Amino acid sequence: MTASFEELVLKCDEASRPHIREAIRCYESGVYRASIVAAYTALCFDLIRKLRELSESGDKEARRQVSDLEKNQKSQRQNDPLATKKLLEFERDLISLFRDKFEFFGIHEYEALSRLVHDRNQCAHPTFLNEGEPYNPPAELARLHLRNVIDYALSQPPSVGKSALVTLRSIVTSNYFSTKSDRAKERLAAAGLKNPRQNLVPHFVDELCFGYATKGDSYYRLPEAITALEATIELQRALAFPRALKDINKIFVDATPGAADAASEISVMIPEIGEQLDSAARTVLRSWVERYTDADKAGMLNEALKIDWLKDTAAQAVSSLNADDIEQMDISMASAEIVSQTAKLYAKAGSWSQANKIAEDFILPLASRFSEDDVHLFIKAAQDGTADIRGSRKFPDVLEALSSEENPLHKQHRKTISDFKLAT
């Protein structure tokens, strides 16, 4: 479906809208030569504004270009004939400047806007015409130029190419980048990933993936880098996900020390990547899960359980978790497997102090999530005396929490608890 002009205008930065609307009004009036000239003018205004923004953000090349521009503008106001020539040259080279110095335009975009410059000259300069007849561009050509100017320039943020990657890196590595997905997505969208050029997304994904695995890189093992990768996939799935999957598969077979660990962490923290790994990468990830011993073991296994083909391996690893392991994770996010593991640990408590700590840290906070088998396990341990639970200070609180009507599973737990009380 063809987008309306108003839809296209709304994609533009607010400062650029008056100029492009003038070109659109010419088009709608059937004055196609004027429309093309006005579109070119809108493009120049927009690129100069972007150049100033880049200068203000600290880009040295942009600062130099703006300084030269302002110097020549001042000389031109003082009737310096050379200044006018220099300003015309500056305007003529604007598109090339943004392609070569800032990587703002790719080959296709540069060619499309170069055609606009050519057609604008045909429209605005009679001396360019050999026939002596006015150039009469068709409506379709004028509309194409309007669309290209909007899509390739006016709707784009000033930071693209190397400058954009530097900006994105500074955002992700700053102390203020959130590890919460929604906030990260909002921040990256505002920084240019909402409507980026196609080449920016793959390059950013590459930097995040390989940087996370490369010692000395500012993204190296940075949790925010994984958050940024996940947010980028959500913002630009068609471009970002295939690239990320390809990168991670490649990192898995890298012999560099720590590379496979980094790839494993990304695969587990972003389960949809882990789900679609190739066979070689799956073999490495399965071994990594079996042998993982870091302090955040419980949290990593909790995420690994979300990957279907890895679930059995992760569940087996969960059975080796102790109370100290589980204490390191956010217990409110615990999977059913980890909830059951806390029940098993409670059923093995060897002292009242240990039982009280497990009860306080895990059993009471998770009281509404235990299955009937989980409850039966530690109640039976208390009854049989195979665990030192029954005389512990927190045990009555556990029984109350399990049988409370506020517990959605209280009905199925009440019989187990009632039978225990009758037996004792």
Side-chain angles (χ1 to χ4, degrees):
M1 185 175 67
T2 303
S4 69
F5 276 129
E6 189 54 37
E7 289 175 318
L8 294 174
V9 169
L10 291 176
K11 292 169 60 178
C12 301
D13 185 276
E14 193 169 348
S16 300
R17 292 176 188 175
H19 303 294
I20 197 63
R21 279 199 170 107
E22 180 180 336
I24 290 171
R25 283 196 295 271
C26 291
Y27 171 86
E28 291 173 339
S29 300
V31 189
Y32 303 131
R33 282 200 305 272
S35 176
I36 291 174
V37 172
Y40 168 79
T41 302
L43 172 65
C44 291
F45 269 114
D46 181 73
L47 293 182
I48 291 171
R49 181 178 60 81
K50 283 179 166 61
L51 194 62
R52 294 186 186 278
E53 289 186 25
L54 288 170
S55 174
E56 290 169 3
S57 69
D59 188 287
K60 293 181 180 179
E61 178 61 30
R63 189 174 294 168
R64 186 180 71 80
Q65 294 289 340
V66 169
S67 176
D68 288 346
L69 173 62
E70 292 177 345
K71 178 181 177 181
N72 288 324
Q73 286 175 330
K74 181 178 179 180
S75 297
Q76 196 261 352
R77 288 193 297 270
Q78 297 171 348
N79 298 317
D80 181 351
L82 289 178
T84 300
K85 180 183 178 181
K86 289 179 180 178
L87 288 172
L88 290 173
E89 289 174 350
F90 176 85
E91 180 185 314
R92 182 192 63 200
D93 295 336
L94 257 179
I95 301 174
S96 298
L97 172 68
F98 271 76
R99 178 196 61 179
D100 299 337
K101 298 297 185 180
F102 306 109
E103 296 186 0
F104 193 87
F105 299 125
I107 295 174
H108 173 73
E109 297 157 331
Y110 177 78
E111 289 179 350
L113 295 176
S114 294
R115 286 195 294 270
L116 168 63
V117 175
H118 176 271
D119 291 342
R120 175 261 183 188
N121 291 337
Q122 295 281 92
C123 292
H125 300 296
T127 55
F128 281 32
L129 303 173
N130 296 326
E131 299 86 356
E133 294 293 328
Y135 176 57
N136 291 308
E140 294 80 7
L141 182 62
R143 181 181 178 88
L144 176 63
H145 285 316
L146 287 170
R147 174 113 196 198
N148 287 344
V149 166
I150 292 171
D151 284 347
Y152 299 155
L154 275 63
S155 64
Q156 300 295 329
S159 296
V160 181
K162 291 180 181 178
S163 177
L165 291 172
V166 170
T167 299
L168 290 169
R169 182 179 288 268
S170 68
I171 289 171
V172 175
T173 57
S174 75
N175 294 328
Y176 306 104
F177 187 72
S178 177
T179 54
K180 295 183 178 179
S181 180
D182 289 345
R183 293 182 185 176
K185 188 163 63 173
E186 183 179 351
R187 184 73 180 89
L188 293 176
L193 288 185
K194 183 177 181 180
N195 187 31
R197 299 190 187 284
Q198 289 193 355
N199 66 339
L200 175 61
V201 174
H203 290 166
F204 183 46
V205 169
D206 288 350
E207 287 202 353
L208 290 170
C209 292
F210 292 107
Y212 189 82
T214 304
K215 194 170 184 179
D217 193 289
S218 59
Y219 286 141
Y220 181 63
R221 300 308 251 283
L222 184 72
E224 288 82 0
I226 297 181
T227 305
L229 179 60
E230 186 174 22
T232 303
I233 290 172
E234 291 185 27
L235 285 166
Q236 298 293 334
R237 181 169 298 277
L239 293 171
F241 183 76
R243 187 68 166 226
L245 183 60
K246 180 180 178 181
D247 287 350
I248 298 305
N249 278 323
K250 186 175 181 180
I251 295 170
F252 264 114
V253 297
D254 188 339
T256 303
D261 291 328
S264 297
E265 289 171 7
I266 293 175
S267 301
V268 166
M269 296 306 295
I270 307 179
E272 65 176 320
I273 290 179
E275 199 69 67
Q276 298 189 43
L277 293 173
D278 63 27
S279 58
R282 289 187 180 196
T283 300
V284 177
L285 181 57
R286 190 178 281 111
S287 296
W288 181 83
V289 167
E290 290 171 342
R291 302 173 187 179
Y292 192 72
T293 57
D294 286 7
D296 60 346
K297 179 178 180 180
M300 281 295 183
L301 293 178
N302 198 57
E303 297 302 315
L305 286 162
K306 298 175 183 177
I307 301 172
D308 285 344
W309 65 266
L310 191 61
K311 192 168 185 177
D312 290 344
T313 302
Q316 182 63 37
V318 165
S319 65
S320 67
L321 293 176
N322 58 40
D324 289 340
D325 293 329
I326 300 175
E327 194 174 22
Q328 301 303 313
M329 69 171 290
D330 181 354
I331 195 64
S332 68
M333 304 298 291
S335 62
E337 291 82 358
I338 291 181
V339 171
S340 291
Q341 180 64 10
T342 64
K344 293 173 184 175
L345 293 173
Y346 194 40
K348 295 177 181 178
S351 66
W352 285 352
S353 61
Q354 186 181 25
N356 284 330
K357 181 167 177 53
I358 293 173
E360 187 170 7
D361 290 347
F362 310 131
I363 308 302
L364 290 172
L366 296 172
S368 64
R369 297 192 55 198
F370 289 110
S371 69
E372 190 170 356
D373 288 342
D374 293 332
V375 174
H376 180 75
L377 179 68
F378 58 71
I379 290 295
K380 187 175 186 303
Q383 184 175 341
D384 295 346
T386 53
D388 215 351
I389 296 175
R390 186 170 168 185
S392 62
R393 177 172 48 85
K394 289 290 182 179
F395 188 52
D397 296 338
V398 169
L399 297 179
E400 175 62 26
L402 292 170
S403 58
S404 169
E405 291 189 1
E406 295 180 2
N407 187 333
L409 301 177
H410 70 278
K411 289 183 180 180
Q412 68 184 45
H413 295 331
R414 275 182 177 176
K415 184 177 186 309
T416 301
I417 294 170
S418 177
D419 290 345
F420 166 75
K421 289 180 176 179
L422 287 173
T424 57

